Amino acid sequence: MVTARPTGNLVEVEAETLSRIAHTGLALVLDVYDSDPDDREAPSAITTISDLEPAARHPAEQLARLLTAHEPTGEEPLMAIFEWALERLNDSRD
């Protein structure tokens, strides 16, 4: 999750990371929120597939299926999915 000020914040994704993501065939989705507490209530933490918006949930489920060969339950931790993806990409390069 990215939280930005009303004037904006910089989000940088290194070229190597973008290349690894591109090899999965999935999109990179940045969900950006205004950090002004008076403007709106802060979003809840997004930590599992089921916490994602519907448009982002489907690609995460696809990635979980690819990496684990199991049907996702929605309770998979997102950081674990990203770590599995990077590990698998690293292993395929060796």
Side-chain angles (χ1 to χ4, degrees):
M1 182 180 86
V2 176
T3 302
R5 292 182 175 84
T7 57
N9 270 1
L10 177 66
V11 175
E12 181 178 347
V13 181
E14 295 177 356
E16 183 178 341
T17 302
L18 285 174
S19 177
R20 290 177 178 179
I21 292 169
H23 284 5
T24 68
L26 299 174
L28 171 64
V29 177
L30 299 176
D31 196 0
V32 181
Y33 295 89
D34 183 352
S35 64
D36 182 359
D38 296 330
D39 192 25
R40 72 171 113 174
E41 186 177 316
S44 60
I46 297 175
T47 59
T48 66
I49 290 176
S50 61
D51 295 329
L52 294 169
E53 293 292 325
R57 194 174 301 144
H58 181 68
E61 289 171 342
Q62 286 180 304
L63 186 56
R65 275 188 209 97
L66 173 72
L67 296 170
T68 66
H70 292 95
E71 190 63 28
T73 65
E75 297 305 312
E76 291 78 10
L78 292 175
M79 286 310 297
I81 293 170
F82 295 136
E83 288 168 359
W84 292 332
L86 290 175
E87 185 177 310
R88 187 166 179 176
L89 287 170
N90 283 332
D91 290 347
S92 70
R93 288 181 162 181
D94 295 338

